[in-house]
Amino acid sequence: MATKRSTLCIAEDSVLAQQFDDAKWTVQGCNNLRVTEWTADDVIAWAKTIKGIQEDVGKILKENKINGRELLALKRNGLTMLGITRTGTLCLLLEEIEMLRKASQDIATLIEHSRYCFCKILDYLRLKQIHNQGLIGEPALPKVCDSQKSRFNKVVKYYFPGASAKFITG
């Protein structure tokens, strides 16, 4: 059964949500390549997805054949040298580039866990998503068999650290 990213991101401050956050999915239309492997065309496709920037930004990036590695290296001075001078556009681009930079550094860490435990979490998140759409009442917290409780709690604490664990455990 497939699970939508929006379902995995219900508990916004969880590790699970962070791993599937849109800002970290840097492959928007770019053939599942890491940002450092983007071609100039991939960079242009990325620039077109940024709301609020001028359309000529894509042209400027294209004219200069900026690839993913170069994009990540750009700072305010570099963008200005390329001809992007409008303050608002610079701020938006710098913010988006910084998000790409951070996402490129993040490496998903998976912990050993049982399918049983992870499926319990996913089932609860799916029910919570349906509840948020107003289709069902508040779902019951996951019920875990005694032999798996310790492992379940370990998985929950990893994906939902600190106070966010209460989202799953109550």
Side-chain angles (χ1 to χ4, degrees):
M1 176 184 281
T3 303
K4 292 183 178 182
R5 279 192 299 148
S6 61
T7 299
L8 298 171
C9 296
I10 285 179
E12 294 175 8
D13 57 345
S14 72
V15 172
L16 191 62
Q18 291 172 16
Q19 287 181 348
F20 292 95
D21 181 22
D22 284 334
K24 297 190 182 212
W25 282 67
T26 57
V27 295
Q28 300 165 347
C30 297
N31 301 324
N32 295 327
L33 298 175
R34 301 198 91 163
V35 178
T36 56
E37 299 169 355
W38 284 4
T39 66
D41 289 335
D42 295 329
V43 171
I44 295 162
W46 165 81
K48 288 179 181 178
T49 67
I50 303 171
K51 293 180 183 178
I53 67 165
Q54 297 172 319
E55 289 184 27
D56 65 333
V57 169
K59 290 178 187 175
I60 291 169
L61 295 172
K62 184 176 183 175
E63 289 168 3
N64 289 278
K65 299 178 182 160
I66 300 298
N67 64 34
R69 186 174 297 280
E70 293 166 334
L71 178 69
L72 293 176
L74 284 174
K75 306 279 190 283
R76 180 180 295 272
N77 188 38
L79 291 169
T80 304
M81 289 171 57
L82 290 173
I84 301 168
T85 57
R86 188 167 175 269
T87 304
T89 301
L90 280 170
C91 291
L92 288 172
L93 271 174
L94 288 168
E95 187 176 278
E96 293 291 330
I97 291 170
E98 182 59 27
M99 284 195 297
L100 285 175
R101 223 179 260 121
K102 286 180 180 178
S104 294
Q105 293 172 353
D106 289 344
I107 299 172
T109 304
L110 299 177
I111 61 168
E112 185 179 332
H113 60 272
S114 75
R115 178 182 169 102
Y116 172 84
C117 294
F118 199 71
C119 285
K120 287 287 187 182
I121 293 170
L122 285 179
D123 288 346
Y124 180 73
L125 292 175
R126 287 179 184 124
L127 290 171
K128 196 72 170 162
Q129 182 77 340
I130 294 168
H131 165 73
N132 290 346
Q133 295 170 355
L135 301 173
I136 63 170
E138 183 71 36
L141 294 172
K143 294 196 187 299
V144 181
C145 66
D146 290 337
S147 66
Q148 294 292 321
K149 281 188 180 180
S150 175
R151 184 178 286 168
F152 179 78
N153 287 330
K154 179 181 176 184
V155 173
V156 168
K157 285 179 184 176
Y158 174 78
Y159 285 111
F160 302 87
S164 67
K166 291 182 179 180
F167 182 80
I168 299 290
T169 60

